[in-house]
């Protein structure tokens, strides 16, 4: 941004109307190159002679606004003429609209009084001279046809509204955040999907079914009469009677309202919001216009990440699960990793990202995406090292500082380093990582345990009874286990960075010892005598599937205890009719723990289980994304809850890191970050028939493919990029170390 550019705004209160800031410019010669740099408090589109610059939507995206906002730069050379009108159209977005749990803060006035834009256009002429056009108090304010736009509630557009000159912009004197260059990925439009069916529901509603739960918006092309209205409400599911269901959206209206001008074919789509949906109800539609599928297109939006992973196998249900995982990532990687894209939440919940980030980095290149979000996390870390449940924070609500959520500060940088091998990213986050350990160390009465405090626990686990969110596993046990695990990761990160980690090595030993003294009895996890913060509203247990899983996964057992732990876990699974009871924190690890300890068969049993709780339960019930709750919609078609029931929550999609890392067997040793070195140890299972998957790494494509031959043997085909050292472990064949090529084994 040029130094003399000023933040500008409208002088008068425009209510919820989106204003456009305009400037006319006459070229002073032949333009060689013109570059525009813009940002806003709110969300904006830049128009040059009426054409939209660039392909981003919802710019400048979502950062920790009290600290920083990103600017975007556009090459506008081809859009300029002898005379040029620059226009910056402004909406509320995350900075000025309703986000989070408080309605009060964002009632009318907040947007009008606070939204502002800043920009500069640099014009280079053929004769070498340069002209700069900055936002200042010569820009003019115009009205627009966007009468209101809210992330949760939708957009109102009126094509009959006259576009009026409202006056001259004024300089905004408020203190504004630092402007930084675009750090994350742009959010852009991707897939375009037509409705597969137009449904008349039993209640008589007209509903379009797009066949896929997604995040984005519907574009409508229509000819109608002046003043005709179209009102669209969006939803993810139909209820058991086949009626349109919106209760799980809570207070989010998810409704777009359009008024036609009647002038030829008109196109409508929201400019400054998006919806999470599969179904769209036509609440109002011109009576004399036929509802035809080709007039409606769902446009999917998400961060412009490069797709890197691919997978298929011989079990169609697992293939659908994989598709649901990919769609879950698309719907929730809209600039910030969110919990869900549809209800009045859509927030950067740290725990959800913590469990999913390894899978995310297999499916897509998410290095920039996480680099940006982690920078915001560090900026919002408390002086004591606390990390909020929600990043970027919204208003005064950042959620709780909770175990498994705050550990995203350690686990996400570690996983992103592991996937891409950039030590610099690890270094940039190292101080945040250490500070979080410091927070746990200083917390409560016992410096080596993380007990007390409010935690989300093994969120949505099934072992505390229906309607209880936090699961049964004692949160003190979970928190102390994560204390140990995160400390161990800080040691590994510190060693890679050449830091002195002796302090953390000593701490780790103490935490591990304290954990074992407090939470292990006769080789099994047990209750810590002190009460858990949530003990009053739910049954709390020391010995659960999740507690065993965390002890095994985080190395908190003695070798002599290992068999007993795995046997007990198998017993608890059997007692639950061969199913999991785990929630957000136990589930991502349970299959790993089983296969690491000789029970790959049981891991596959759980993967292929079809009764809830299981991944395939939702697949059998028509899911096209990952559900928040194991039985979001129950066997009988009723819903488990109205207030915590998203159908597009990626957290349980973390199971793909097991399918990729264990079933296909592609893994990264500690000294192989970025897939510089890999291990490939496939774990075939007849029930899949075959499995085939790959990842496009920074060093080239890594692939693993196995299938059963008629004689019962398995044929393995493993592809390793040139320059990458791969250690291959195929059952029945001596270990091989190879590089650069495709290797076939039959065993
Ligand atoms: C979100 C979760 C989040 C949780 C905290 C919920 O409302 O949707 O995914 O992690 O709150 O436990």
């Amino acid at each position: 941004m040029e130094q003399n550019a000023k933040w500008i705004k409208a002088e008068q209160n425009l209510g919820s109307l989106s204003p456009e800031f305009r400037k006319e410019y006459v070229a002073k010669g032949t333009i060689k190159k013109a570059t525009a740099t813009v940002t806003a408090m709110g969300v904006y589109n830049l128009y040059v002679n009426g054409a939209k610059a660039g392909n981003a939507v919802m710019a400048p995206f979502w950062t920790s606004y009290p600290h920083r906002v990103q600017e975007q730069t556009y090459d506008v050379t081809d859009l300029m003429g002898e005379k040029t009108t620059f226009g910056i159209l402004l909406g509320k977005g995350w900075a000025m609209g309703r986000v989070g749990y408080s309605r009060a803060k964002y009632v009318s006035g907040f947007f009008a009084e606070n939204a502002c834009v800043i920009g500069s256009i640099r014009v280079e002429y053929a004769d070498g001279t340069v002209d700069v056009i900055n936002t200042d108090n010569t820009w003019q304010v115009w009205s627009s046809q966007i009468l209101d736009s809210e992330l949760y509630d939708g957009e109102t557009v009126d094509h009959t509204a006259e576009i009026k000159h409202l006056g001259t912009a004024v300089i905004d004197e408020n203190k504004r955040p630092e402007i930084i260059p675009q750090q994350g990925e742009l959010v852009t439009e991707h897939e375009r999907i037509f409705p597969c069916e137009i449904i008349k529901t039993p209640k008589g509603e007209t509903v379009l079914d797009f066949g896929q739960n997604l995040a984005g918006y519907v574009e409508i092309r229509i000819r109608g009469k002046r003043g005709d209205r179209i009102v669209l409400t969006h939803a993810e599911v139909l209820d058991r009677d086949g009626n349109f269901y919106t209760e799980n959206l809570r207070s989010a209206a998810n409704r777009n309202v359009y008024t036609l001008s009647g002038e030829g074919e008109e196109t409508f789509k929201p400019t400054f919001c998006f919806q999470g949906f599969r179904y769209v109800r036509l609440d109002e539609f011109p009576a004399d216009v036929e509802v035809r599928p080709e007039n409606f297109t769902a446009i999917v939006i998400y961060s412009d990440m490069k797709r890197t992973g691919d997978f298929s196998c011989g079990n169609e249900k697992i293939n659908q699960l994989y598709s649901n995982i990919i769609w879950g990532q698309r719907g929730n990687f809209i600039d910030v990793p969110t919990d869900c894209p549809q209800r009045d939440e859509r927030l950067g919940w740290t725990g959800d990202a913590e469990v999913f980030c390894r899978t995310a980095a297999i499916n897509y290149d998410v290095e920039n995406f996480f680099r940006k979000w982690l920078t915001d996390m560090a900026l919002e870390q408390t002086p004591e090292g606390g990390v909020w449940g929600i990043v970027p924070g919204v208003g005064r609500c950042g959620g709780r500082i909770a175990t498994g959520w705050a550990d995203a500060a350690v686990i996400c940088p570690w996983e992103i380093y592991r996937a891409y091998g950039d030590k610099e990213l690890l270094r940039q986050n190292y101080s945040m990582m250490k500070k979080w350990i410091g927070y746990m160390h200083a917390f409560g009465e016992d410096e080596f345990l993380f007990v007390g405090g409010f935690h989300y626990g093994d969120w949505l686990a099934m072992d505390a009874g229906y309607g209880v969110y936090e699961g049964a596993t004692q949160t003190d046990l979970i928190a102390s286990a994560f204390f140990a695990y995160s400390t161990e990761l800080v040691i590994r990160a510190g060693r890679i960075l050449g830091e002195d980690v002796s302090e953390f090595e000593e701490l780790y030993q103490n935490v591990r010892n304290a954990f074992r003294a407090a939470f292990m009895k006769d080789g099994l996890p047990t209750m810590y005598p002190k009460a858990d913060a949530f003990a009053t509203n739910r049954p709390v247990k020391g010995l659960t599937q999740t507690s065993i899983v965390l002890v095994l996964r985080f190395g908190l057992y003695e070798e002599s205890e290992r068999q007993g732990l795995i046997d007990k876990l198998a017993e608890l699974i059997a007692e639950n009719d061969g199913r999991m009871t785990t929630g957000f924190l136990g589930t991502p690890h349970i299959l790993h723990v089983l296969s690491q300890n000789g029970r790959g068969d049981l891991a596959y049993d759980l993967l292929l289980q079809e009764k809830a709780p299981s991944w395939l339960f939702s697949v059998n019930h028509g899911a096209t994304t990952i559900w928040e709750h194991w039985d979001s919609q129950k066997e009988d078609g009723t819903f488990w809850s109205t207030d915590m029931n998203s159908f597009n929550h990626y957290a349980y999609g973390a199971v793909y890191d097991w399918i990729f890392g264990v079933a296909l067997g592609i893994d990264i040793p500690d000294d192989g970050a970025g897939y510089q070195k890999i291990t490939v140890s496939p774990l075939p299972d007849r029930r899949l028939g075959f499995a085939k998957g790959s990842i496009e790494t920074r060093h080239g494509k890594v692939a693993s493919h196995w299938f059963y031959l008629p004689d019962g043997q398995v044929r393995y085909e493993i592809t390793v990029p040139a320059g990458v050292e791969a250690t291959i472990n195929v059952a029945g064949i001596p270990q091989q170390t190879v590089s650069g090529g495709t290797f076939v084994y039959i065993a």
Side-chain angles (χ1 to χ4, degrees):
M1 192 71 62
E2 299 283 337
Q3 254 194 343
N4 291 330
K6 301 273 188 255
W7 285 98
I8 56 170
K9 61 181 182 184
E11 190 168 19
Q12 65 274 57
N13 186 331
L14 302 177
S16 58
L17 174 80
S18 274
E20 183 173 334
F21 299 86
R22 289 193 197 164
K23 174 86 182 175
E24 312 284 341
Y25 180 74
V26 178
K28 296 175 177 160
T30 308
I31 296 171
K32 195 171 117 204
K33 188 171 178 156
T35 314
T37 303
V38 183
T39 191
M41 291 312 295
V43 281
Y44 76 89
N45 272 356
L46 169 68
Y47 297 93
V48 182
N49 284 330
K52 183 175 179 303
N55 60 352
V57 293
M58 306 295 292
F61 319 114
W62 194 5
T63 43
S64 174
Y65 295 123
H67 296 98
R68 61 198 199 123
V69 61
Q70 302 176 109
E71 64 180 24
Q72 292 72 40
T73 297
Y74 309 88
D75 183 339
V76 296
T77 320
D78 295 340
L79 301 179
M80 287 185 69
E82 274 172 41
K83 280 190 183 168
T84 299
T85 305
F86 296 104
I88 307 173
L89 180 65
L90 183 61
K92 297 179 204 173
W94 297 277
M96 297 291 151
R98 175 163 83 93
V99 184
Y101 305 108
S102 146
R103 257 183 183 266
K105 186 182 161 206
Y106 301 106
V107 289
S108 71
F110 187 78
F111 170 59
E113 285 158 25
N114 293 281
C116 51
V117 302
I118 185 168
S120 53
I121 301 116
R122 190 184 152 84
V123 184
E124 292 172 44
Y125 286 98
D127 65 4
T129 56
V130 171
D131 199 13
V132 175
I133 309 138
N134 286 319
T135 46
D136 59 17
N137 57 5
T138 64
W139 285 57
Q140 299 302 310
V141 186
W142 289 75
S143 68
S144 76
Q145 295 181 326
I146 301 179
L147 306 188
D148 194 7
S149 189
E150 282 281 358
L151 282 166
Y152 296 161
D153 297 325
E155 195 157 294
T156 302
V157 180
D158 183 353
H159 278 184
T160 69
E162 189 192 338
I163 297 179
K164 288 187 277 206
H165 181 227
L166 301 174
T168 302
V170 294
I171 309 284
D172 173 76
E173 304 289 355
N174 293 309
K175 189 174 174 324
R176 295 297 172 189
E178 185 192 350
I179 299 172
I180 57 148
Q182 174 70 27
Q183 187 184 22
E185 306 288 2
L186 303 175
V187 176
T188 55
E189 294 184 346
H190 294 267
E191 293 78 6
R192 298 174 75 89
I193 300 176
F194 292 116
C196 54
E197 201 184 344
I198 297 173
I199 301 170
K200 264 276 179 246
T201 69
K203 279 190 183 162
E205 307 149 314
T206 304
V207 172
L208 311 173
D209 177 5
F210 286 91
Q212 173 64 55
N213 199 12
L214 59 91
Y217 34 71
V218 174
E219 181 183 80
I220 303 176
R221 284 172 189 281
I222 187 168
R223 279 171 197 278
K225 291 194 302 294
R226 185 173 178 83
D228 275 351
R229 274 170 42 112
I230 301 174
V231 179
L232 307 178
T233 299
H234 303 68
E236 295 182 288
V237 284
L238 303 179
D239 69 14
R240 68 167 158 180
D241 302 320
N243 287 315
F244 198 70
Y245 180 78
T246 54
E247 261 183 282
N248 67 323
L249 307 174
R250 306 196 302 217
S251 74
N254 277 305
R255 181 172 300 128
N256 297 330
V257 178
Y258 302 128
T259 305
L260 278 70
S261 69
E263 291 161 20
E265 188 181 75
E266 294 175 66
T267 303
F268 292 94
K269 66 176 178 180
T271 304
F272 295 132
C273 65
F274 61 88
Q275 285 89 30
F277 65 98
R278 167 176 168 169
Y279 299 96
V280 171
R281 186 179 61 200
L282 303 183
D283 296 334
E284 288 184 41
F285 199 76
D288 48 359
V289 179
E290 195 193 339
V291 178
R292 288 189 317 205
E294 57 270 31
N295 295 352
F296 303 89
T297 312
I299 302 175
V300 185
I301 68 161
Y302 49 91
S303 287
D304 200 12
M305 319 163 280
K306 182 179 159 218
R307 177 79 184 264
T308 47
D310 196 25
F311 175 79
S312 62
C313 71
N315 180 316
E316 275 316 313
K317 291 180 181 178
I318 297 293
N319 290 339
Q320 182 64 46
L321 173 67
Y322 176 66
S323 168
N324 297 358
I325 294 167
I326 296 290
W327 278 101
Q329 182 163 356
R330 289 174 178 157
N332 286 295
F333 274 50
I334 299 179
D335 195 47
V336 160
T338 56
D339 55 337
C340 59
Q342 75 298 88
R343 69 179 176 221
D344 54 357
E345 202 151 356
R346 314 183 193 186
L347 301 171
W349 279 103
T350 49
D352 306 45
E354 178 265 298
V355 302
F356 189 71
C357 67
R358 183 180 286 194
T359 290
I362 302 167
N363 296 336
Y364 284 92
D365 187 329
V366 293
E367 190 178 20
N368 284 339
F369 179 90
F370 271 99
R371 179 180 284 120
K372 164 186 164 279
W373 184 64
L374 289 169
T375 310
D376 288 317
M377 188 185 287
L379 287 167
E380 293 187 350
Q381 190 171 29
T382 69
E384 300 77 31
V387 177
W388 297 108
I390 298 168
V391 173
V394 279
R396 269 172 298 144
C397 175
R400 299 171 187 151
I401 296 174
T403 189
W405 271 249
D407 293 277
V410 174
I411 294 169
C412 293
W414 175 254
E415 289 295 339
I416 298 302
Y417 165 71
R418 197 177 161 272
Y420 304 106
D422 181 11
K423 276 192 199 176
E424 223 20 66
L425 182 135
L426 207 51
R427 186 172 302 287
Q428 282 155 7
N429 288 290
Y430 190 57
S431 144
M432 167 169 74
M433 297 163 79
K434 287 191 299 184
K435 274 170 70 183
W436 168 239
I437 305 300
Y439 179 94
M440 292 187 279
H441 192 181
F443 191 91
E445 289 164 23
D446 189 326
E447 63 170 317
F448 301 127
L449 293 176
F450 187 14
V451 297
F454 285 88
H455 299 284
Y456 303 110
D458 192 20
W459 188 247
L460 303 186
M462 302 291 277
D463 48 7
Y466 241 76
V468 181
Y469 296 153
E470 293 86 0
T473 311
Q474 188 180 21
T475 57
D476 293 335
L477 180 151
I478 297 175
S480 300
F482 270 91
F483 186 8
Y485 179 56
S486 282
T487 306
E488 191 210 323
L489 290 185
V490 165
I491 296 167
R492 282 154 79 180
R495 285 189 189 136
I496 284 159
L497 295 173
E499 299 281 337
D500 175 8
V501 291
S502 49
E503 172 198 343
F504 293 102
E505 286 169 338
E506 196 186 319
L507 178 63
Y508 176 77
Q509 281 315 324
N510 285 323
V511 172
R512 191 175 182 281
N513 292 340
F515 179 93
R516 293 188 47 74
F519 297 108
M520 293 294 285
K521 195 167 167 234
D522 303 328
L524 291 175
T526 187
M527 275 286 281
Y528 182 65
K530 285 190 194 167
D532 184 284
F534 282 114
T536 47
N537 73 355
R538 68 189 224 274
V540 175
K541 296 181 205 160
L543 182 63
T544 61
Q545 291 184 15
T546 289
S547 66
I548 299 180
V549 164
L550 296 183
V551 164
L552 281 167
R553 186 69 164 156
F554 297 164
L556 299 167
Y557 59 94
E558 295 298 316
E559 193 49 42
S560 59
E561 296 163 343
R562 186 214 286 254
Q563 196 55 48
L565 283 160
I566 202 75
D567 290 346
K568 190 70 192 177
L569 177 59
E571 191 185 311
L572 293 181
I573 294 169
E575 273 171 19
N576 196 40
D577 197 17
R579 291 169 293 158
M580 298 174 284
T581 53
T582 49
F584 271 36
L585 297 184
T587 305
H589 302 293
I590 190 166
L591 301 192
H592 285 284
V593 155
L594 290 166
S595 54
Q596 274 166 353
N597 293 287
R599 293 305 310 268
D601 59 325
L602 192 46
Y604 268 110
D605 288 349
L606 293 182
L607 178 70
L608 295 166
Q609 171 64 254
E610 301 198 11
K611 280 186 281 179
S614 74
W615 289 277
L616 294 189
F617 176 80
S618 64
V619 169
N620 282 344
H621 288 75
T624 58
T625 37
I626 300 293
W627 293 355
E628 176 174 23
H629 196 262
W630 286 120
D631 52 0
S632 284
Q633 190 160 16
K634 293 188 276 179
E635 194 66 68
D636 64 2
T638 59
F639 299 100
W640 95 280
S641 127
T642 49
D643 66 351
M644 196 62 74
N645 206 10
S646 138
F647 288 83
N648 195 357
H649 240 68
Y650 56 54
Y652 289 144
V655 68
Y656 187 63
D657 80 45
W658 184 86
I659 296 176
F660 179 82
V662 180
L664 294 173
I666 302 169
D667 205 359
I668 312 167
D670 250 16
D671 61 346
Y675 295 87
Q676 178 60 56
K677 262 191 195 172
I678 56 172
T679 58
V680 188
S681 320
L683 182 66
D685 188 287
R686 237 179 212 296
R687 290 169 284 180
L688 285 199
F690 77 90
K692 185 176 179 176
S694 62
I695 181 166
E696 198 62 58
T697 76
R698 297 284 160 85
H699 303 284
K701 189 174 186 151
V702 175
S704 167
H705 177 194
W706 51 255
F707 61 89
Y708 280 80
L709 295 166
D711 65 2
Q713 297 203 93
V714 181
R715 181 183 188 277
Y716 301 86
E717 190 172 311
I718 293 160
T719 303
V720 182
V724 169
E725 187 186 296
T727 304
I728 297 184
N729 292 295
V730 163
I733 304 248
Q735 189 180 80
Q736 320 267 311
T737 301
V738 300
S739 178
T742 294
F743 304 89
V744 174
Y745 307 94
I746 294 177

